[in-house]
Amino acid sequence: PVARRVLGDGHDITLKLRRAYAMALYRADGATLDDIREAVTTLEETARTAQRVLGGAHPTAAGIEKALRNARDVLRAQEILQPRTFSRG
């Protein structure tokens, strides 16, 4: 939050910090589905900002896109292993 406030959403350092935060969430031992979903959401938002501000060819934007693909892969795998259960009410 401090980097976003001081540097702005589109600053390279802010984008890298948000990517690092999201990667820590989905790579953590014991990450929950909610953690992984938060990581994906964070990376989706960050990817949009990076594309708009830096362009798709920028190394930071490309790294965020790669992290997003990886996070989505982890999410899919965890959803298969831990399918949702629905209660009948």
Side-chain angles (χ1 to χ4, degrees):
V2 174
R4 291 174 79 181
R5 185 178 70 247
V6 173
L7 301 173
D9 282 337
H11 194 282
D12 193 53
I13 292 173
T14 303
L15 296 169
K16 288 177 180 178
L17 286 171
R18 294 194 73 201
R19 177 184 65 193
Y21 168 73
M23 289 174 69
L25 279 175
Y26 80 80
R27 288 180 169 180
D29 290 336
T32 65
L33 278 173
D34 285 340
D35 293 335
I36 301 167
R37 288 183 184 118
E38 181 180 346
V40 169
T41 300
T42 298
L43 287 164
E44 287 171 342
E45 293 168 358
T46 306
R48 280 192 297 272
T49 302
Q51 288 283 338
R52 179 176 45 81
V53 174
L54 304 174
H58 192 280
T60 298
I64 292 166
E65 287 292 334
K66 181 178 179 182
L68 177 55
R69 286 190 303 273
N70 291 339
R72 285 176 173 161
D73 289 345
V74 170
L75 179 59
R76 276 191 294 275
Q78 287 301 312
E79 286 176 336
I80 289 169
L81 293 174
Q82 302 173 28
R84 290 185 184 185
T85 57
F86 298 96
S87 62
R88 294 181 183 187

